[in-house]
Amino acid sequence: MRRFIRLSMIVAALALVFAGSPASAQGKTEIHWWHAMTGQLNEALVTLAKQFNESQGEYEIKPLNKGSYPETLTAAIAAYRQKNPPHIVQVFEVGTQTMMLSGAVYPVFELMRDNEIKLDWNDFIKPVVGYYTKDGKLYSMPFNSSTPIFYYNKDAFKKAGLDPEKPPKTWQDVGAYGTKLVTSGASKCGFSTAWPSWIQVENMHATHDQPFATKNNGFGGVEGVQLQINRDFGLKHIGQLAAWQKEGLFSYGGRQGTADPKFVNGECGMYMHSSALIGGFTRNLKFDWGTAELPHWGAPYKKATSIIGGATLWILKGKPQPEYRGVAKFLEFLAKPENQMAWHVNTGYLAISNTAVRNLEQGYHFVKNPRQYTAFAQLTGLPPTPPAAMAGKKAAPAKPERVATPNSQGLRLGNFVQIRDAIEAEMENIFAGKKTAKQGLDDAVARSNGLLKEFAATHKP
């Protein structure tokens, strides 16, 4: 009996010890992260989460794929309304205005301040951080930032008698090169595009210094904003794409990345897509290929920088305050230059800090991997050829070849997911010959302006 009593006392004492030690009794505090990454990008994301989990003993990031970008955004909003949101959700750039005005967000600048974790926001690349900043304060954490670039099949170029080291610089070149590719039999079509609205409407307006919408592309407020894509430039560009579609030089392949097989399988010799495809293409393409900046129409249009795509990490309200300490620590982990560099090298997404970019330059990364330099040059205005920077030496300042303008800082529109759908639906009508460029773009603007008006009515100051 005495032994039994003594054993019971020991067990009770151990129970008290473990009760006072949550990490031992309950394991790490789980931080739930919903995202839209698939394939090789999902593998890179999971690796980041695993590295963070192994770097400390308090928190465990639990990534979960929730489908496409629109599906992930919709799922997160629904979960918040049901009072069961994830801690972190990855939202693509067109959801920025919706998230900012949703009332569901724990702004990143507040999160880091409340947890006394300091990040040097000034070290972040301005074209990236500016997109997600309001009144000088960062609302979401830049994560997988990209910009669209031009891909081309060097083997097909050689077969067509084109110089594989001289990709097209102008849209006039694209038409001429496409003709040679098709007539020589080097490829069935000249070129295709992914993400039709993002690349051929949103970024084409930005890189030609043309307004996409009034009120400084929506940065000036939500009331009275209207699209301007049916003006002279929009009609010129979309009208020419429609003409090339009819001639067989351009081959429309659908929304998002559904046109990828046209380039991957060698059907089209040229392709426009996100810089985030570099990682996957490096592993999977069976032919020699290169990258270049997006083509430009030339005078009278100014050559401006492109705008970003990809997504950021938004923190949702509704979780116990102590858990947000783990979220803040994870964002601090992601911002470290070594993690930014690894993410860029493995995926093709941009490193978001100037320190990480300088480290890549000094390590000859861009000289050895010029494909990954293209996006940085186009987004920041640097020359299209990577500088042969020497470690420990300062390179002479390069003359910018593109300029950043108010029209190239980005887009901040409400109901942007639906607006992009409306634009792409009308682009499909135009490319199918059902509508003229003017009729289709006029209809896209009318539908989009209605969506902007609806958004303004529900988000009055």
Side-chain angles (χ1 to χ4, degrees), residues 250-285:
F250 168 59
S251 179
Y252 177 72
R255 306 183 191 186
Q256 298 187 30
T258 55
D260 287 0
K262 289 181 176 291
F263 183 67
V264 173
N265 298 333
E267 180 180 342
C268 296
M270 300 177 288
Y271 193 45
M272 280 156 276
H273 205 317
S274 166
S275 57
L277 269 288
I278 290 175
F281 281 177
T282 299
R283 291 166 176 77
N284 301 320
L285 290 187

Side-chain angles (χ1 to χ4, degrees), residues 100-432:
M100 278 187 172
L101 300 179
S102 67
V105 172
Y106 189 173
V108 163
F109 77 91
E110 288 185 8
L111 170 77
M112 306 309 275
R113 180 195 64 197
D114 293 347
N115 288 278
E116 299 181 342
I117 295 177
K118 292 184 179 181
L119 292 181
D120 184 5
W121 306 122
N122 292 325
D123 190 39
F124 282 24
I125 296 175
K126 286 185 179 180
V128 175
V129 74
Y131 202 114
Y132 306 102
T133 298
K134 183 178 181 181
D135 300 326
K137 297 175 179 177
L138 188 64
Y139 273 66
S140 62
M141 182 70 176
F143 176 57
N144 56 306
S145 296
S146 62
T147 200
I149 58 175
F150 192 88
Y151 296 89
Y152 65 104
N153 184 330
K154 289 187 175 184
D155 290 347
F157 268 45
K158 292 176 184 177
K159 186 175 180 180
L162 296 167
D163 188 336
E165 302 307 321
K166 292 183 179 180
K169 292 184 177 181
T170 68
W171 277 104
Q172 293 87 339
D173 289 342
V174 171
Y177 285 30
T179 299
K180 285 191 175 182
L181 286 166
V182 173
T183 56
S184 68
S187 61
K188 292 182 179 179
C189 82
F191 71 100
S192 188
T193 187
W195 294 91
S197 175
W198 180 49
I199 299 176
Q200 301 303 334
V201 183
E202 298 161 35
N203 264 280
M204 280 302 111
H205 277 74
T207 57
H208 290 78
D209 193 29
Q210 298 296 299
F212 182 87
T214 59
K215 282 203 158 183
N216 200 17
N217 285 341
F219 277 78
V222 299
E223 292 187 303
V225 181
Q226 295 187 329
L227 258 58
Q228 295 187 300
I229 62 173
N230 58 341
R231 303 201 310 179
D232 289 346
F233 175 76
L235 294 173
K236 171 186 176 68
H237 182 63
I238 299 303
Q240 184 60 70
L241 290 182
W244 281 332
Q245 168 81 12
K246 190 174 181 180
E247 295 170 18
L249 298 183
F250 168 59
S251 179
Y252 177 72
R255 306 183 191 186
Q256 298 187 30
T258 55
D260 287 0
K262 289 181 176 291
F263 183 67
V264 173
N265 298 333
E267 180 180 342
C268 296
M270 300 177 288
Y271 193 45
M272 280 156 276
H273 205 317
S274 166
S275 57
L277 269 288
I278 290 175
F281 281 177
T282 299
R283 291 166 176 77
N284 301 320
L285 290 187
K286 306 301 182 184
F287 51 81
D288 191 15
W289 56 282
T291 64
E293 295 187 8
L294 294 175
H296 192 272
W297 277 109
Y301 305 109
K302 185 183 295 184
K303 198 172 184 181
T305 53
S306 59
I307 56 178
I308 62 169
T312 52
L313 304 182
W314 293 82
I315 315 307
L316 299 183
K317 296 177 180 178
K319 294 296 185 180
Q321 192 60 34
E323 296 180 7
Y324 287 112
R325 174 73 178 172
V327 177
K329 296 292 288 183
F330 180 54
L331 298 191
E332 180 186 36
F333 172 85
L334 292 178
K336 291 181 177 180
E338 59 268 29
N339 294 328
Q340 284 296 312
M341 292 163 64
W343 177 247
H344 163 72
V345 170
N346 291 331
T347 66
Y349 282 116
L350 302 171
I352 62 171
S353 74
N354 290 304
T355 298
V357 174
R358 283 195 299 270
N359 290 345
L360 290 165
E361 288 177 341
Q362 293 175 355
Y364 296 100
H365 172 74
F366 292 128
V367 175
K368 298 174 183 175
N369 302 276
R371 294 168 178 167
Q372 289 196 319
Y373 176 76
T374 303
F376 282 106
Q378 184 180 267
L379 191 66
T380 60
L382 293 171
T385 303
M390 299 285 287
K393 294 184 179 181
K394 290 185 177 180
K399 183 180 178 181
E401 295 206 2
R402 293 175 180 265
V403 295
T405 75
N407 289 321
S408 67
Q409 70 174 331
L411 309 168
R412 187 169 291 173
L413 305 175
N415 284 337
F416 204 170
V417 177
Q418 297 93 318
I419 287 172
R420 185 176 276 177
D421 285 342
I423 293 172
E424 292 182 339
E426 293 303 336
M427 290 176 77
E428 289 170 351
N429 286 330
I430 294 169
F431 297 151

